[in-house]
Amino acid sequence: MNTPWPLVALLGVAAALWFAAELHPSFMNPAGAVAADGNGAFTLCVRASQENCVIDGDTIRYGGIKIRLEDIDAPEVFSPRCASEARLGQRAAERLLHLMNSGPFQLVSGERDEDRYGRKLRTIERGGRSLGEMLVAEGLARRWEGGRRSWCG
């Protein structure tokens, strides 16, 4: 039996799309809707190979891809400039972890796709509200204004 080549090509494209969606769940949804199971899908990052984890208050790893929350700046956890920044940074990371595990969220693209370090720049939203803005409202982060400012003194 001779199978027409357009049918073979169509089946190949369908298989490739299915495979891509399996590798990265947000691939098939341009808006980036992602359903976290809310039962500990994210942890705090302890090694670089983790798939879904919170690095600090403004950076996560999702599906192995590093994502920087583009709308906020949070205190540093790994290289803080003072003890108060370290404490606030840890609180911000733990709060973001809680928010990430609290239900479905969306990854929303902004003006730029990546920062100079190769991290994807996204706003993470739930129900139309930015998780970053929640951290700002709680005093654990500030709005991103184009540059880092000190969290000390």
Side-chain angles (χ1 to χ4, degrees), residues 77-104:
V77 171
F78 296 102
S79 56
R81 293 192 173 125
C82 62
S84 61
E85 180 179 15
R87 285 190 300 275
L88 189 60
Q90 189 61 41
R91 287 181 45 216
E94 289 170 2
R95 179 64 174 138
L96 182 57
L97 174 64
H98 175 76
L99 291 170
M100 294 302 297
N101 284 324
S102 293

Side-chain angles (χ1 to χ4, degrees), residues 2 9 13 23 30-31 44 51 56 63-65 67 78-79 81 84 87 90 92 99 112-113 119 132-133 137-138 150:
N2 289 338
V13 168
L23 286 178
L44 290 175
E51 289 288 308
D56 60 24
I65 298 170
I67 299 172
F78 296 102
S79 56
R81 293 192 173 125
S84 61
R87 285 190 300 275
Q90 189 61 41
L99 291 170
R112 293 179 28 213
D113 184 53
R119 299 176 295 189
E133 283 295 322
E138 295 172 15
S150 177

Side-chain angles (χ1 to χ4, degrees), residues 51-68:
E51 289 288 308
N52 300 325
C53 60
V54 171
I55 296 171
D56 60 24
D58 57 23
T59 311
I60 66 167
R61 187 171 282 115
Y62 177 65
I65 298 170
K66 217 179 228 188
I67 299 172
R68 169 76 160 74

